[in-house]
Amino acid sequence: TLFRSGGSRPAALAQVCRTVARRAERSLVAVQRADGNLSAASLQFLNRLSDVFFVLARRINQHMGALIRCGVG
């Protein structure tokens, strides 16, 4: 089953936070490629942070009765 982002306003804001975390992760990957002196823990933290925001958005929508399902599953 696919889930579309959005639903409720609070969940949409959590998705915005997820987008910012993903952008920061991509920036750190670029820094790591250029410099090579970056801990893997930094990248892992940002990756997990974006996961947390994704799950948070889903839970908010479930709590508010606004979970949006797309597709078959």
Side-chain angles (χ1 to χ4, degrees):
T1 302
L2 300 174
F3 293 91
R4 187 177 63 170
S5 57
S8 65
R9 178 165 169 73
L13 292 173
Q15 290 289 359
V16 170
C17 292
R18 178 177 177 246
T19 300
V20 171
R22 297 284 294 162
R23 188 178 308 134
E25 182 183 6
R26 286 191 302 272
S27 294
L28 274 184
V29 167
V31 167
Q32 185 180 38
R33 286 181 181 158
D35 186 24
N37 191 16
L38 187 69
S39 72
S42 301
L43 292 171
Q44 186 176 17
F45 174 79
L46 285 174
N47 183 271
R48 297 297 182 264
L49 183 63
S50 69
D51 290 346
V52 167
F53 284 124
F54 174 76
V55 172
L56 178 64
R58 287 195 55 207
R59 295 290 292 152
I60 290 169
N61 277 334
Q62 284 177 333
H63 179 73
M64 297 182 79
L67 188 61
I68 301 170
R69 294 180 187 269
C70 302
V72 179

